[in-house]
Amino acid sequence: MRPLPRSLNPLPDETLTGFVLRLAHRLGTTPGEIADRTGLPSRLPLGVLHHLNDEHLTGFARSTQLMPAEVSGMLLAPLGDRYGPLNPVLTPRRTPARMIYDNPWVLTRSTRYCPQCLTGDRSAIQDLHGGAWRRLWRLPVTFLCVQHQRLLESQCPRCATPAQFAPAANAIARLSDDTLHPWQCRFTARQTSQRSETACAADLTWVDPASTAPDVATMTVLLQVQRQLIDLLVASGPETAMSAGAPVPVPHYFADLRATVAMIFRSWPVAREHASTPCLAAAIDAEYASRVLQAERLLNTLGKKKTSKPYTVPPQGCLATGAALDTAAKLLDTHDPGDARRRLAPLVQRLREADLALSTWLRRPTWISVSLRQAVMDLPTGRRAAS
Ligand SMILES: [Zn+2]
Ligand SMILES: [Zn+2]
């Protein structure tokens, strides 16, 4: 790989695809051309977001004049050191490449984003090519921009396609298009009557003046939850977090949140009393109703029904995500194992009645921490009455 005539410094927490978009814009070429000239797998398969093999990583580093560590810092795989849903121990997969498939707790085909962050920090280079498409926006546990104190967006304001939606198997849409700015929507609106293949091209830094934020009390709660979660995700964060009566390694904590969110939805409204504000309770009410509808629709399909699945995924909307994570975090946040057990017992009981298979699946040892497992474990019949 020959070095490119010019390169770019990666921005903090930037994704590889975001970097490729900015570099293509800087060099006046297409993302596909950047992929070819830096030795990335051709057509940029989805997996490049998560992981590069040694050959691809060193080739990309050499041609972009970056250190290999800077390149791996743009991938999602290293986040698995702290984020259980990307951690091979807590999210077992047959091969590392399978990690991002059928894994709703990482966004691979789209991303959330903050319009204000995308406009950049007013430095010359960001004025030209925009701010970072951030890695943390790819994790559903990120729902709010702490810097700009606003909920993240998840779709294009014009065509309503999920942001950076990847059609087919490519990590970037319109690989051969050199006309779009990194912050423009790349969705191809196919109008069959006109055979039009032009991009939507909406400016994703646009902020709808009519959009309203949740009430102040709700935003205060959400900001606090988001700050806590981001503090745990950054590499310099603490090693452990309190979960269901004991400190657990941080990746286990995120695995516990994933399982607890599923328990909350499948047993709703049992945990409603733990919602911090009426707005957050209402957000989970609405999300729950849509999940019930999805599950009912699955009942009428042929083959394996998978009716549990709608309850186990994180919400798409950022308000509902924040609401579910706030409730889950509150349920887990106790130093006392007995207290954890008492808080979670009503959810577990309802879950067992509603969906025994899911209740077993969510509580399996490879899925949750030891302390959460102890808190939600079935007691022998005699002791259950006593507890
Ligand atoms: Zn922001
Ligand atoms: Zn669009």
Side-chain angles (χ1 to χ4, degrees), residues 113-118 134 137 144-150 152:
Y113 68 100
C114 168
Q116 284 157 280
C117 284
L118 277 187
R134 303 179 68 114
W137 294 342
L144 183 144
C145 175
V146 171
Q147 188 191 343
H148 297 110
Q149 309 216 342
R150 69 187 318 285
L152 298 180

Side-chain angles (χ1 to χ4, degrees), residues 156 159 185 200:
C156 167
C159 71
C185 174
C200 161

Side-chain angles (χ1 to χ4, degrees), residues 32-46:
E33 171 85 12
I34 295 291
D36 288 344
R37 295 194 52 190
T38 55
L40 289 178
S42 67
R43 312 295 301 163
L44 281 185
L46 280 180

Side-chain angles (χ1 to χ4, degrees), residues 105 140-141 229 253-268 271 284 287-288 291 310-315 320-329 331-332 344 347 351 358 362 367-368 372:
W105 285 84
V141 292
L229 295 178
Y253 178 70
F254 282 102
D256 287 355
L257 279 180
R258 168 179 64 181
T260 308
V261 165
M263 287 185 209
I264 289 169
F265 279 117
R266 194 64 185 92
S267 66
W268 193 253
I284 308 185
E287 178 71 23
Y288 172 71
R291 290 175 185 224
Y311 297 101
T312 61
V313 299
T321 304
L325 289 169
D326 171 52
T327 305
L331 284 164
L332 295 177
L344 290 161
L347 279 78
L351 175 66
L358 180 65
L362 285 176
W367 202 247
I368 54 177
L372 179 58

